[in-house]
Amino acid sequence: MDLWGRLSNPPETLEAVTVQGRESSSEAHPVPSKQAICSPTAPESDVQETPGRLSNPLRRPVQRRLNEVEIDQLVREYQAGRTLADLASDYGLHRRTVAAHLEARGVQRRVNRRKMSDDDIGEAARRYSGGDSLATVALAFDVDAATVRRELHRSGVTIRRRRGWT
């Protein structure tokens, strides 16, 4: 690519150069194919179709519309405990679209539950004050270090500065 974002050697030029180089040498070496699997000219059998996924980045994505029966099923599954991300993946939708379907049906969204109880936070504060790192404390409670940091900060524990940070 050149400085303006244009192809400095268009595919036609590359093919011609390759052919010229092969003509001067023996024909024992076939010209390699320059066709990409996801190119617009690729045979349809080469392109893998997955619902809700782009099979070719050059094509526009297909917008999926759910019918009433599918939306009812989506609502039932959400109320049974499935997450927005999980439903979005299964139905080939964006998670925000799943949330919009739920809001349109008047379904109350679940609030994220706390990952650590008050007793866990007290124990984490004791370990952290004793010198353990946030990562070490997080491993002990099977949560992310950012969760431990947030909970300790909310409970009034002073968070130490990271090494090397001034």
Side-chain angles (χ1 to χ4, degrees):
M1 296 199 109
D2 62 7
L3 295 174
W4 296 276
R6 298 178 303 201
L7 283 175
S8 54
N9 288 329
E12 305 85 24
T13 308
L14 290 175
E15 192 65 36
V17 169
T18 305
V19 170
Q20 287 174 358
R22 296 289 180 200
E23 287 173 359
S24 63
S25 65
S26 67
E27 288 297 325
H29 303 291
V31 176
S33 172
K34 297 208 182 315
Q35 185 177 25
I37 290 177
C38 292
S39 74
T41 59
E44 290 301 319
S45 61
D46 290 349
V47 178
Q48 295 176 351
E49 293 294 329
T50 305
R53 304 256 189 246
L54 288 176
S55 60
N56 184 340
L58 300 176
R59 292 184 189 159
R60 295 187 71 144
V62 177
Q63 292 185 349
R64 185 149 189 311
R65 296 190 185 272
L66 300 181
N67 59 34
E68 294 299 317
V69 174
E70 290 174 318
I71 295 172
D72 291 339
Q73 179 66 27
L74 182 132
V75 168
R76 282 193 298 276
E77 290 179 27
Y78 179 78
Q79 290 173 334
R82 293 192 59 195
T83 64
L84 289 180
D86 191 27
L87 290 169
S89 175
D90 283 357
Y91 283 90
L93 303 170
H94 191 276
R95 64 178 181 77
R96 189 63 211 130
T97 305
V98 172
H101 282 304
L102 295 172
E103 290 169 11
R105 294 291 172 100
V107 176
Q108 289 290 329
R109 296 269 309 276
R110 290 188 295 267
V111 179
N112 287 338
R113 64 176 181 82
R114 257 177 103 185
K115 307 290 190 273
M116 298 177 73
S117 67
D118 290 334
D119 293 337
D120 290 343
I121 295 169
E123 177 65 20
R126 187 188 63 72
R127 288 180 176 212
Y128 185 71
S129 297
D132 285 352
S133 68
L134 290 172
T136 305
V137 175
L139 283 174
F141 291 97
D142 195 29
V143 296
D144 193 74
T147 302
V148 173
R149 183 188 185 291
R150 182 184 61 240
E151 293 293 344
L152 291 178
H153 181 72
R154 283 182 184 165
S155 66
V157 175
T158 303
I159 305 299
R160 296 187 298 265
R161 301 193 97 179
R162 292 171 46 179
R163 286 188 194 163
W165 290 62
T166 56

PDB file of all heavy atoms in Angstrom, residues 111-140:
ATOM      1  N   VAL A 111     -30.544  -7.773  37.693  1.00  0.00           N
ATOM      2  CA  VAL A 111     -29.428  -6.949  38.137  1.00  0.00           C
ATOM      3  C   VAL A 111     -28.255  -7.885  38.399  1.00  0.00           C
ATOM      4  O   VAL A 111     -28.428  -8.996  38.901  1.00  0.00           O
ATOM      5  CB  VAL A 111     -29.805  -6.188  39.427  1.00  0.00           C
ATOM      6  CG1 VAL A 111     -28.643  -5.337  39.918  1.00  0.00           C
ATOM      7  CG2 VAL A 111     -31.031  -5.329  39.194  1.00  0.00           C
ATOM      8  N   ASN A 112     -27.057  -7.442  38.029  1.00  0.00           N
ATOM      9  CA  ASN A 112     -25.870  -8.266  38.289  1.00  0.00           C
ATOM     10  C   ASN A 112     -25.752  -8.519  39.781  1.00  0.00           C
ATOM     11  O   ASN A 112     -25.820  -7.597  40.587  1.00  0.00           O
ATOM     12  CB  ASN A 112     -24.607  -7.577  37.796  1.00  0.00           C
ATOM     13  CG  ASN A 112     -24.497  -7.582  36.303  1.00  0.00           C
ATOM     14  OD1 ASN A 112     -25.104  -8.412  35.639  1.00  0.00           O
ATOM     15  ND2 ASN A 112     -23.731  -6.662  35.766  1.00  0.00           N
ATOM     16  N   ARG A 113     -25.572  -9.773  40.127  1.00  0.00           N
ATOM     17  CA  ARG A 113     -25.434 -10.104  41.539  1.00  0.00           C
ATOM     18  C   ARG A 113     -24.010  -9.819  41.979  1.00  0.00           C
ATOM     19  O   ARG A 113     -23.076  -9.847  41.180  1.00  0.00           O
ATOM     20  CB  ARG A 113     -25.798 -11.552  41.794  1.00  0.00           C
ATOM     21  CG  ARG A 113     -24.890 -12.538  41.133  1.00  0.00           C
ATOM     22  CD  ARG A 113     -25.253 -13.968  41.511  1.00  0.00           C
ATOM     23  NE  ARG A 113     -24.350 -14.897  40.872  1.00  0.00           N
ATOM     24  CZ  ARG A 113     -23.145 -15.215  41.330  1.00  0.00           C
ATOM     25  NH1 ARG A 113     -22.699 -14.667  42.438  1.00  0.00           N
ATOM     26  NH2 ARG A 113     -22.366 -16.064  40.682  1.00  0.00           N
ATOM     27  N   ARG A 114     -23.866  -9.532  43.255  1.00  0.00           N
ATOM     28  CA  ARG A 114     -22.549  -9.275  43.811  1.00  0.00           C
ATOM     29  C   ARG A 114     -21.737 -10.551  43.819  1.00  0.00           C
ATOM     30  O   ARG A 114     -22.243 -11.630  44.123  1.00  0.00           O
ATOM     31  CB  ARG A 114     -22.693  -8.788  45.247  1.00  0.00           C
ATOM     32  CG  ARG A 114     -22.493  -7.302  45.375  1.00  0.00           C
ATOM     33  CD  ARG A 114     -22.712  -6.863  46.774  1.00  0.00           C
ATOM     34  NE  ARG A 114     -21.443  -6.632  47.429  1.00  0.00           N
ATOM     35  CZ  ARG A 114     -21.342  -6.332  48.702  1.00  0.00           C
ATOM     36  NH1 ARG A 114     -22.405  -6.253  49.458  1.00  0.00           N
ATOM     37  NH2 ARG A 114     -20.170  -6.113  49.219  1.00  0.00           N
ATOM     38  N   LYS A 115     -20.495 -10.420  43.470  1.00  0.00           N
ATOM     39  CA  LYS A 115     -19.622 -11.588  43.363  1.00  0.00           C
ATOM     40  C   LYS A 115     -19.023 -11.986  44.713  1.00  0.00           C
ATOM     41  O   LYS A 115     -18.600 -13.114  44.889  1.00  0.00           O
ATOM     42  CB  LYS A 115     -18.473 -11.305  42.388  1.00  0.00           C
ATOM     43  CG  LYS A 115     -18.903 -10.813  41.019  1.00  0.00           C
ATOM     44  CD  LYS A 115     -19.572 -11.888  40.224  1.00  0.00           C
ATOM     45  CE  LYS A 115     -19.796 -11.504  38.794  1.00  0.00           C
ATOM     46  NZ  LYS A 115     -20.979 -10.806  38.476  1.00  0.00           N
ATOM     47  N   MET A 116     -18.982 -11.047  45.651  1.00  0.00           N
ATOM     48  CA  MET A 116     -18.384 -11.314  46.955  1.00  0.00           C
ATOM     49  C   MET A 116     -19.362 -10.883  48.048  1.00  0.00           C
ATOM     50  O   MET A 116     -19.950  -9.813  47.977  1.00  0.00           O
ATOM     51  CB  MET A 116     -17.069 -10.538  47.116  1.00  0.00           C
ATOM     52  CG  MET A 116     -15.996 -10.922  46.113  1.00  0.00           C
ATOM     53  SD  MET A 116     -14.498  -9.931  46.276  1.00  0.00           S
ATOM     54  CE  MET A 116     -13.822 -10.592  47.781  1.00  0.00           C
ATOM     55  N   SER A 117     -19.500 -11.733  49.058  1.00  0.00           N
ATOM     56  CA  SER A 117     -20.367 -11.397  50.193  1.00  0.00           C
ATOM     57  C   SER A 117     -19.600 -10.461  51.140  1.00  0.00           C
ATOM     58  O   SER A 117     -18.396 -10.237  50.985  1.00  0.00           O
ATOM     59  CB  SER A 117     -20.772 -12.669  50.931  1.00  0.00           C
ATOM     60  OG  SER A 117     -19.644 -13.251  51.554  1.00  0.00           O
ATOM     61  N   ASP A 118     -20.306  -9.951  52.151  1.00  0.00           N
ATOM     62  CA  ASP A 118     -19.650  -9.071  53.126  1.00  0.00           C
ATOM     63  C   ASP A 118     -18.556  -9.815  53.893  1.00  0.00           C
ATOM     64  O   ASP A 118     -17.502  -9.240  54.192  1.00  0.00           O
ATOM     65  CB  ASP A 118     -20.686  -8.501  54.098  1.00  0.00           C
ATOM     66  CG  ASP A 118     -21.618  -7.498  53.437  1.00  0.00           C
ATOM     67  OD1 ASP A 118     -21.187  -6.873  52.434  1.00  0.00           O
ATOM     68  OD2 ASP A 118     -22.762  -7.339  53.902  1.00  0.00           O
ATOM     69  N   ASP A 119     -18.801 -11.081  54.193  1.00  0.00           N
ATOM     70  CA  ASP A 119     -17.771 -11.885  54.872  1.00  0.00           C
ATOM     71  C   ASP A 119     -16.548 -12.073  53.975  1.00  0.00           C
ATOM     72  O   ASP A 119     -15.402 -12.001  54.450  1.00  0.00           O
ATOM     73  CB  ASP A 119     -18.329 -13.255  55.265  1.00  0.00           C
ATOM     74  CG  ASP A 119     -19.401 -13.156  56.345  1.00  0.00           C
ATOM     75  OD1 ASP A 119     -19.415 -12.139  57.077  1.00  0.00           O
ATOM     76  OD2 ASP A 119     -20.218 -14.091  56.449  1.00  0.00           O
ATOM     77  N   ASP A 120     -16.791 -12.310  52.678  1.00  0.00           N
ATOM     78  CA  ASP A 120     -15.682 -12.457  51.730  1.00  0.00           C
ATOM     79  C   ASP A 120     -14.869 -11.166  51.653  1.00  0.00           C
ATOM     80  O   ASP A 120     -13.635 -11.206  51.601  1.00  0.00           O
ATOM     81  CB  ASP A 120     -16.201 -12.802  50.334  1.00  0.00           C
ATOM     82  CG  ASP A 120     -16.775 -14.203  50.244  1.00  0.00           C
ATOM     83  OD1 ASP A 120     -16.487 -15.023  51.142  1.00  0.00           O
ATOM     84  OD2 ASP A 120     -17.512 -14.463  49.272  1.00  0.00           O
ATOM     85  N   ILE A 121     -15.549 -10.045  51.645  1.00  0.00           N
ATOM     86  CA  ILE A 121     -14.853  -8.752  51.558  1.00  0.00           C
ATOM     87  C   ILE A 121     -14.008  -8.522  52.803  1.00  0.00           C
ATOM     88  O   ILE A 121     -12.867  -8.047  52.721  1.00  0.00           O
ATOM     89  CB  ILE A 121     -15.863  -7.609  51.339  1.00  0.00           C
ATOM     90  CG1 ILE A 121     -16.546  -7.785  49.977  1.00  0.00           C
ATOM     91  CG2 ILE A 121     -15.174  -6.252  51.424  1.00  0.00           C
ATOM     92  CD1 ILE A 121     -17.724  -6.877  49.761  1.00  0.00           C
ATOM     93  N   GLY A 122     -14.530  -8.888  53.980  1.00  0.00           N
ATOM     94  CA  GLY A 122     -13.758  -8.759  55.217  1.00  0.00           C
ATOM     95  C   GLY A 122     -12.496  -9.613  55.189  1.00  0.00           C
ATOM     96  O   GLY A 122     -11.408  -9.161  55.563  1.00  0.00           O
ATOM     97  N   GLU A 123     -12.650 -10.857  54.715  1.00  0.00           N
ATOM     98  CA  GLU A 123     -11.486 -11.749  54.599  1.00  0.00           C
ATOM     99  C   GLU A 123     -10.500 -11.233  53.558  1.00  0.00           C
ATOM    100  O   GLU A 123      -9.283 -11.276  53.756  1.00  0.00           O
ATOM    101  CB  GLU A 123     -11.954 -13.167  54.247  1.00  0.00           C
ATOM    102  CG  GLU A 123     -10.849 -14.165  54.022  1.00  0.00           C
ATOM    103  CD  GLU A 123     -10.006 -14.451  55.263  1.00  0.00           C
ATOM    104  OE1 GLU A 123     -10.469 -14.182  56.387  1.00  0.00           O
ATOM    105  OE2 GLU A 123      -8.869 -14.931  55.094  1.00  0.00           O
ATOM    106  N   ALA A 124     -11.008 -10.731  52.435  1.00  0.00           N
ATOM    107  CA  ALA A 124     -10.138 -10.192  51.389  1.00  0.00           C
ATOM    108  C   ALA A 124      -9.374  -8.976  51.913  1.00  0.00           C
ATOM    109  O   ALA A 124      -8.186  -8.817  51.620  1.00  0.00           O
ATOM    110  CB  ALA A 124     -10.967  -9.807  50.166  1.00  0.00           C
ATOM    111  N   ALA A 125     -10.046  -8.127  52.688  1.00  0.00           N
ATOM    112  CA  ALA A 125      -9.377  -6.948  53.262  1.00  0.00           C
ATOM    113  C   ALA A 125      -8.269  -7.376  54.220  1.00  0.00           C
ATOM    114  O   ALA A 125      -7.184  -6.785  54.226  1.00  0.00           O
ATOM    115  CB  ALA A 125     -10.395  -6.077  53.987  1.00  0.00           C
ATOM    116  N   ARG A 126      -8.526  -8.420  55.026  1.00  0.00           N
ATOM    117  CA  ARG A 126      -7.506  -8.915  55.956  1.00  0.00           C
ATOM    118  C   ARG A 126      -6.293  -9.440  55.181  1.00  0.00           C
ATOM    119  O   ARG A 126      -5.161  -9.117  55.505  1.00  0.00           O
ATOM    120  CB  ARG A 126      -8.100 -10.028  56.826  1.00  0.00           C
ATOM    121  CG  ARG A 126      -7.173 -10.495  57.932  1.00  0.00           C
ATOM    122  CD  ARG A 126      -7.693 -11.711  58.659  1.00  0.00           C
ATOM    123  NE  ARG A 126      -7.814 -12.893  57.819  1.00  0.00           N
ATOM    124  CZ  ARG A 126      -6.796 -13.613  57.353  1.00  0.00           C
ATOM    125  NH1 ARG A 126      -5.555 -13.257  57.627  1.00  0.00           N
ATOM    126  NH2 ARG A 126      -6.991 -14.675  56.601  1.00  0.00           N
ATOM    127  N   ARG A 127      -6.535 -10.227  54.118  1.00  0.00           N
ATOM    128  CA  ARG A 127      -5.434 -10.766  53.318  1.00  0.00           C
ATOM    129  C   ARG A 127      -4.652  -9.661  52.614  1.00  0.00           C
ATOM    130  O   ARG A 127      -3.427  -9.684  52.565  1.00  0.00           O
ATOM    131  CB  ARG A 127      -5.959 -11.746  52.272  1.00  0.00           C
ATOM    132  CG  ARG A 127      -6.420 -13.054  52.821  1.00  0.00           C
ATOM    133  CD  ARG A 127      -6.912 -13.941  51.710  1.00  0.00           C
ATOM    134  NE  ARG A 127      -7.283 -15.229  52.208  1.00  0.00           N
ATOM    135  CZ  ARG A 127      -7.169 -16.350  51.523  1.00  0.00           C
ATOM    136  NH1 ARG A 127      -6.696 -16.333  50.290  1.00  0.00           N
ATOM    137  NH2 ARG A 127      -7.528 -17.498  52.047  1.00  0.00           N
ATOM    138  N   TYR A 128      -5.390  -8.698  52.042  1.00  0.00           N
ATOM    139  CA  TYR A 128      -4.742  -7.613  51.314  1.00  0.00           C
ATOM    140  C   TYR A 128      -3.913  -6.752  52.276  1.00  0.00           C
ATOM    141  O   TYR A 128      -2.789  -6.369  51.957  1.00  0.00           O
ATOM    142  CB  TYR A 128      -5.796  -6.759  50.599  1.00  0.00           C
ATOM    143  CG  TYR A 128      -5.223  -5.679  49.732  1.00  0.00           C
ATOM    144  CD1 TYR A 128      -4.569  -5.976  48.532  1.00  0.00           C
ATOM    145  CD2 TYR A 128      -5.312  -4.338  50.102  1.00  0.00           C
ATOM    146  CE1 TYR A 128      -4.036  -4.985  47.738  1.00  0.00           C
ATOM    147  CE2 TYR A 128      -4.785  -3.338  49.310  1.00  0.00           C
ATOM    148  CZ  TYR A 128      -4.145  -3.668  48.130  1.00  0.00           C
ATOM    149  OH  TYR A 128      -3.619  -2.677  47.346  1.00  0.00           O
ATOM    150  N   SER A 129      -4.454  -6.467  53.458  1.00  0.00           N
ATOM    151  CA  SER A 129      -3.713  -5.685  54.455  1.00  0.00           C
ATOM    152  C   SER A 129      -2.497  -6.456  54.951  1.00  0.00           C
ATOM    153  O   SER A 129      -1.496  -5.863  55.360  1.00  0.00           O
ATOM    154  CB  SER A 129      -4.613  -5.335  55.635  1.00  0.00           C
ATOM    155  OG  SER A 129      -5.676  -4.525  55.198  1.00  0.00           O
ATOM    156  N   GLY A 130      -2.574  -7.781  54.905  1.00  0.00           N
ATOM    157  CA  GLY A 130      -1.452  -8.626  55.318  1.00  0.00           C
ATOM    158  C   GLY A 130      -0.343  -8.695  54.285  1.00  0.00           C
ATOM    159  O   GLY A 130       0.695  -9.292  54.533  1.00  0.00           O
ATOM    160  N   GLY A 131      -0.569  -8.123  53.088  1.00  0.00           N
ATOM    161  CA  GLY A 131       0.487  -8.066  52.091  1.00  0.00           C
ATOM    162  C   GLY A 131       0.200  -8.813  50.802  1.00  0.00           C
ATOM    163  O   GLY A 131       0.987  -8.731  49.859  1.00  0.00           O
ATOM    164  N   ASP A 132      -0.884  -9.576  50.757  1.00  0.00           N
ATOM    165  CA  ASP A 132      -1.213 -10.271  49.512  1.00  0.00           C
ATOM    166  C   ASP A 132      -1.584  -9.257  48.429  1.00  0.00           C
ATOM    167  O   ASP A 132      -2.131  -8.193  48.718  1.00  0.00           O
ATOM    168  CB  ASP A 132      -2.390 -11.232  49.707  1.00  0.00           C
ATOM    169  CG  ASP A 132      -2.001 -12.498  50.450  1.00  0.00           C
ATOM    170  OD1 ASP A 132      -0.793 -12.699  50.679  1.00  0.00           O
ATOM    171  OD2 ASP A 132      -2.916 -13.275  50.795  1.00  0.00           O
ATOM    172  N   SER A 133      -1.304  -9.611  47.198  1.00  0.00           N
ATOM    173  CA  SER A 133      -1.659  -8.744  46.073  1.00  0.00           C
ATOM    174  C   SER A 133      -3.143  -8.911  45.746  1.00  0.00           C
ATOM    175  O   SER A 133      -3.794  -9.875  46.176  1.00  0.00           O
ATOM    176  CB  SER A 133      -0.822  -9.092  44.846  1.00  0.00           C
ATOM    177  OG  SER A 133      -1.189 -10.371  44.364  1.00  0.00           O
ATOM    178  N   LEU A 134      -3.658  -7.983  44.959  1.00  0.00           N
ATOM    179  CA  LEU A 134      -5.043  -8.095  44.517  1.00  0.00           C
ATOM    180  C   LEU A 134      -5.250  -9.377  43.711  1.00  0.00           C
ATOM    181  O   LEU A 134      -6.272 -10.054  43.848  1.00  0.00           O
ATOM    182  CB  LEU A 134      -5.433  -6.875  43.673  1.00  0.00           C
ATOM    183  CG  LEU A 134      -5.555  -5.549  44.408  1.00  0.00           C
ATOM    184  CD1 LEU A 134      -5.758  -4.413  43.415  1.00  0.00           C
ATOM    185  CD2 LEU A 134      -6.702  -5.590  45.403  1.00  0.00           C
ATOM    186  N   ALA A 135      -4.266  -9.718  42.880  1.00  0.00           N
ATOM    187  CA  ALA A 135      -4.371 -10.930  42.068  1.00  0.00           C
ATOM    188  C   ALA A 135      -4.401 -12.185  42.932  1.00  0.00           C
ATOM    189  O   ALA A 135      -5.167 -13.117  42.673  1.00  0.00           O
ATOM    190  CB  ALA A 135      -3.212 -10.993  41.077  1.00  0.00           C
ATOM    191  N   THR A 136      -3.587 -12.227  43.987  1.00  0.00           N
ATOM    192  CA  THR A 136      -3.555 -13.380  44.881  1.00  0.00           C
ATOM    193  C   THR A 136      -4.867 -13.516  45.634  1.00  0.00           C
ATOM    194  O   THR A 136      -5.421 -14.615  45.755  1.00  0.00           O
ATOM    195  CB  THR A 136      -2.383 -13.250  45.878  1.00  0.00           C
ATOM    196  OG1 THR A 136      -1.174 -13.076  45.143  1.00  0.00           O
ATOM    197  CG2 THR A 136      -2.280 -14.456  46.772  1.00  0.00           C
ATOM    198  N   VAL A 137      -5.392 -12.396  46.118  1.00  0.00           N
ATOM    199  CA  VAL A 137      -6.675 -12.418  46.818  1.00  0.00           C
ATOM    200  C   VAL A 137      -7.780 -12.837  45.860  1.00  0.00           C
ATOM    201  O   VAL A 137      -8.674 -13.624  46.209  1.00  0.00           O
ATOM    202  CB  VAL A 137      -6.975 -11.028  47.440  1.00  0.00           C
ATOM    203  CG1 VAL A 137      -8.360 -10.999  48.057  1.00  0.00           C
ATOM    204  CG2 VAL A 137      -5.924 -10.676  48.484  1.00  0.00           C
ATOM    205  N   ALA A 138      -7.719 -12.348  44.628  1.00  0.00           N
ATOM    206  CA  ALA A 138      -8.739 -12.693  43.636  1.00  0.00           C
ATOM    207  C   ALA A 138      -8.736 -14.198  43.356  1.00  0.00           C
ATOM    208  O   ALA A 138      -9.810 -14.804  43.232  1.00  0.00           O
ATOM    209  CB  ALA A 138      -8.493 -11.917  42.348  1.00  0.00           C
ATOM    210  N   LEU A 139      -7.561 -14.804  43.263  1.00  0.00           N
ATOM    211  CA  LEU A 139      -7.487 -16.254  43.041  1.00  0.00           C
ATOM    212  C   LEU A 139      -8.132 -17.029  44.189  1.00  0.00           C
ATOM    213  O   LEU A 139      -8.792 -18.048  43.967  1.00  0.00           O
ATOM    214  CB  LEU A 139      -6.030 -16.687  42.877  1.00  0.00           C
ATOM    215  CG  LEU A 139      -5.378 -16.391  41.536  1.00  0.00           C
ATOM    216  CD1 LEU A 139      -3.898 -16.740  41.570  1.00  0.00           C
ATOM    217  CD2 LEU A 139      -6.074 -17.166  40.434  1.00  0.00           C
ATOM    218  N   ALA A 140      -7.948 -16.545  45.412  1.00  0.00           N
ATOM    219  CA  ALA A 140      -8.505 -17.236  46.574  1.00  0.00           C
ATOM    220  C   ALA A 140     -10.034 -17.223  46.559  1.00  0.00           C
ATOM    221  O   ALA A 140     -10.671 -18.154  47.054  1.00  0.00           O
ATOM    222  CB  ALA A 140      -7.986 -16.583  47.858  1.00  0.00           C
TER     223      ALA A 140
END
